[in-house]
Amino acid sequence: MSKPSKHPLVPSRPLQKRNEVGERVIRFKCSLQNTILDVLRNRGWQEVVGEGDWDFYWCDVGWMKEFFDHFYLEEHMKICHFRNHYELTRKNLMVKNLKRYRKQVEKEHGKTEAQKCDFFPMTFELPTEYHMFVEEFKKNPGQIWIMKPVAKSQGKGIFLFRRLKDIVDWKKSPQSDYQFAPDGPKEQPENYIVQRYLDDPYLIGGRKFDLRVYTLVTSYVPLKAWLYREGFARLSNTRFSLDTIDDTYIHLTNVAVQKTAPDYDPEKGSKWSVRQLRIFLNARHGKERVDQCFQLIDEIFIRSLLSVQKIMVNDKHCFELYGYDVLLDSNLKPWLLEVNASPSLTASSQEDYELKCRLLDDVLNVVDLENRLTGKEKAVGGFDLIWNDGPVYADSMFTDSNSATLPRLNSFLGCINERKQQLRQLYRPLQTIK
């Protein structure tokens, strides 16, 4: 039974169970005032404002922390986060879980297999691993490092440094959440991670970029993960150089940072679609090498999710849309920078708005509150199922450099997204059956 509550976002009475599609309009709540709200309204669902019963809730992570454990969810209800989503999306916990997973893989399958997990930069957590970091720092004098707060986004609190003195100066600065009094710390300092800076990024027109790619997890037990075909490359506004490490317009690709540049064009922005990028890379390096690069990106998605599978609190009411940030180096090796549980859904341009509308509409198609799917689909709109308690393979095969024909993962990142046609074909036979 639901517990009575005066809070406007907590259901105040038991919900009537919806047994059949079409019995009534689906009711939704949304804590955000951006693209997702438009998508939900355009779907024809009924918006619930204030107190009221709901079937679907797009909440923020703060709500999950405060209220999720305190009321009962009816069978059909869905919510957009897992209880401990932060195991993958807090920078320090992500690295901790990946390190543990790598050790497990090495123990069970050997060093060669474990090396496939080496897709994140050398990382230390501060203050707990400060002395370990100092030892590594001294081994590589002149190496550039990057400092990041573990729980902030949009480039906030990030800076690069070459000298240990820079950390000491920073700790004493007014901008730091890590201030010290003469007799010790004033309060518990905010945790940071320090990472070896990837100083040889792949450049487009002399500019650094990273990729934002979307995965959707609908279950952790068993693990069921979908990959969206579309995404975008975020380019810096200034040509790359290591001569200055203080210029955020050079080194940070976050849109929140880049849009503050004096010559930023809000219409043009600093984005390429992943499809544009893949075509560009194919022309430069050939299809085989680019396919290998994208297969390594797929490996990042799968292994990062497997690294948290056993510790994630699975709940049939929950799903999660993750925004992965991946950087390519000059050798086309992909590196995982971070994973976001609340990827920005605010559009920076009309093209960006349309992409996010397609993405979010297809999230709702996969979550399927209307009960239109059979559960056996390998593709829904722009989403392709890449893992379902094991790898999901595409219907077509691929030929490697030795002319061997091998199964290929059901991943089509950067390929044409004919989602409207796919959805028409998907729903037509289902409507006939019903």
Side-chain angles (χ1 to χ4, degrees):
M1 296 290 291
S2 301
K3 297 181 180 180
S5 173
K6 294 182 179 180
H7 193 279
L9 298 184
V10 178
S12 56
R13 60 185 184 279
L15 298 177
Q16 296 300 312
K17 190 170 183 178
R18 180 167 52 89
N19 297 315
E20 297 180 8
V21 177
E23 183 180 328
R24 60 169 172 74
V25 176
I26 294 169
R27 302 161 300 186
F28 77 88
K29 294 180 76 74
C30 184
S31 64
L32 304 178
Q33 298 290 321
N34 55 30
T35 313
I36 181 58
L37 184 58
D38 294 342
V39 170
L40 289 165
R41 286 171 174 171
N42 290 337
R43 206 166 175 90
W45 294 359
Q46 178 184 339
E47 184 174 0
V48 178
V49 179
E51 291 192 25
D53 300 340
W54 50 268
D55 308 303
F56 179 92
Y57 184 23
W58 196 284
C59 67
D60 56 44
V61 294
W63 185 92
M64 287 292 294
K65 181 178 180 181
E66 189 171 358
F67 296 107
F68 182 75
D69 291 336
H70 304 306
F71 66 90
Y72 173 76
L73 290 170
E74 291 286 343
E75 181 77 15
H76 66 280
M77 295 169 69
K78 294 288 184 181
I79 199 161
C80 68
H81 294 294
F82 285 94
R83 176 64 183 84
N84 56 335
H85 57 85
Y86 46 79
E87 292 288 350
L88 183 60
T89 58
R90 280 180 68 102
K91 299 177 185 71
N92 57 334
L93 296 181
M94 180 192 80
V95 172
K96 175 185 174 182
N97 289 318
L98 285 171
K99 287 180 178 178
R100 186 187 65 244
Y101 174 73
R102 190 193 188 285
K103 288 181 181 178
Q104 175 191 337
V105 171
E106 183 171 349
K107 181 179 179 181
E108 296 177 1
H109 303 287
K111 290 186 177 181
T112 302
E113 188 68 17
Q115 287 173 354
K116 296 179 181 178
C117 302
D118 293 338
F119 50 72
F120 57 98
M122 180 179 290
T123 305
F124 300 92
E125 183 176 358
L126 302 185
T128 56
E129 297 179 333
Y130 179 76
H131 295 293
M132 294 171 61
F133 160 66
V134 170
E135 286 183 21
E136 185 62 34
F137 181 92
K138 291 178 179 178
K139 293 178 185 177
N140 299 278
Q143 169 70 44
I144 301 174
W145 297 81
I146 184 167
M147 185 87 89
K148 304 175 182 179
V150 300
K152 290 182 180 177
S153 59
Q154 299 183 329
K156 296 173 183 174
I158 296 178
F159 66 93
L160 280 63
F161 65 95
R162 282 193 175 101
R163 303 174 303 167
L164 284 177
K165 182 178 182 298
D166 295 334
I167 296 185
V168 177
D169 293 343
W170 163 76
K171 286 195 297 188
K172 297 176 181 177
S173 71
Q175 291 78 25
S176 172
D177 295 316
Y178 199 136
Q179 297 182 48
F180 278 70
D183 55 347
K186 294 179 181 178
E187 57 184 28
Q188 183 66 33
E190 179 179 4
N191 282 20
Y192 277 70
I193 60 167
V194 58
Q195 291 182 320
R196 187 187 294 260
Y197 183 62
L198 299 170
D199 57 9
D200 64 336
Y202 193 98
L203 304 179
I204 297 177
R207 296 185 294 165
K208 177 182 174 180
F209 69 93
D210 70 359
L211 300 177
R212 166 59 60 86
V213 184
Y214 299 97
T215 65
L216 173 65
V217 174
T218 51
S219 168
Y220 270 100
V221 183
L223 179 60
K224 190 168 186 177
W226 303 75
L227 175 63
Y228 204 61
R229 294 190 176 197
E230 297 186 74
F232 49 86
R234 304 179 297 188
L235 285 81
S236 62
N237 207 57
T238 307
R239 293 179 68 86
F240 184 77
S241 170
L242 294 176
D243 292 339
T244 173
I245 60 174
D246 299 324
D247 190 336
T248 55
Y249 300 133
I250 294 176
H251 300 287
L252 303 185
T253 59
N254 311 68
V255 174
V257 172
Q258 294 298 323
K259 70 181 182 181
T260 63
D263 55 346
Y264 179 79
D265 184 344
E267 290 300 318
K268 185 179 179 182
S270 299
K271 291 183 179 179
W272 276 20
S273 71
V274 175
R275 176 161 168 73
Q276 284 177 289
L277 176 66
R278 192 159 189 166
I279 291 171
F280 173 83
L281 294 176
N282 280 341
R284 262 195 175 184
H285 304 286
K287 184 176 183 301
E288 182 178 343
R289 188 175 177 196
V290 175
D291 285 350
Q292 291 172 353
C293 170
F294 276 71
Q295 287 166 17
L296 292 175
I297 295 175
D298 293 337
E299 192 97 2
I300 288 176
F301 302 142
I302 290 170
R303 290 188 179 275
S304 61
L305 294 172
L306 289 173
S307 75
V308 297
Q309 181 189 16
K310 292 182 179 179
I311 58 174
M312 198 67 71
V313 178
N314 191 63
D315 191 311
K316 65 184 177 181
H317 302 98
C318 301
F319 66 93
E320 193 93 45
L321 176 66
Y322 292 109
Y324 276 75
D325 292 343
V326 177
L327 182 139
L328 301 183
D329 68 18
S330 58
N331 296 313
L332 288 184
K333 173 180 170 59
W335 295 87
L336 176 61
L337 301 181
E338 64 181 73
V339 184
N340 298 276
S342 301
S344 173
L345 301 179
T346 301
S348 58
S349 66
Q350 183 61 30
E351 184 179 4
D352 192 43
Y353 177 79
E354 291 170 2
L355 183 156
K356 288 174 178 173
C357 283
R358 293 191 295 270
L359 165 72
L360 294 167
D361 203 40
D362 284 339
V363 168
L364 301 179
N365 289 333
V366 173
V367 173
D368 190 35
L369 264 75
E370 297 93 341
N371 294 327
R372 294 181 292 182
L373 304 179
T374 65
K376 299 178 180 180
E377 292 80 7
K378 291 169 66 173
V380 177
F383 275 107
D384 297 294
L385 184 63
I386 60 172
W387 195 271
N388 189 10
D389 203 20
V392 177
Y393 295 112
D395 296 331
S396 59
M397 310 285 276
F398 83 97
T399 303
D400 67 7
S401 56
N402 298 318
S403 299
T405 303
L406 302 170
R408 61 183 299 274
L409 194 70
N410 190 49
S411 167
F412 300 91
L413 179 61
C415 298
I416 295 175
N417 184 12
E418 297 177 333
R419 57 181 296 276
K420 288 185 178 179
Q421 178 182 344
Q422 196 277 337
L423 290 170
R424 280 196 299 267
Q425 293 174 347
L426 180 66
Y427 291 143
R428 189 180 298 119
L430 295 176
Q431 290 169 353
T432 303
I433 291 172
K434 292 177 180 178

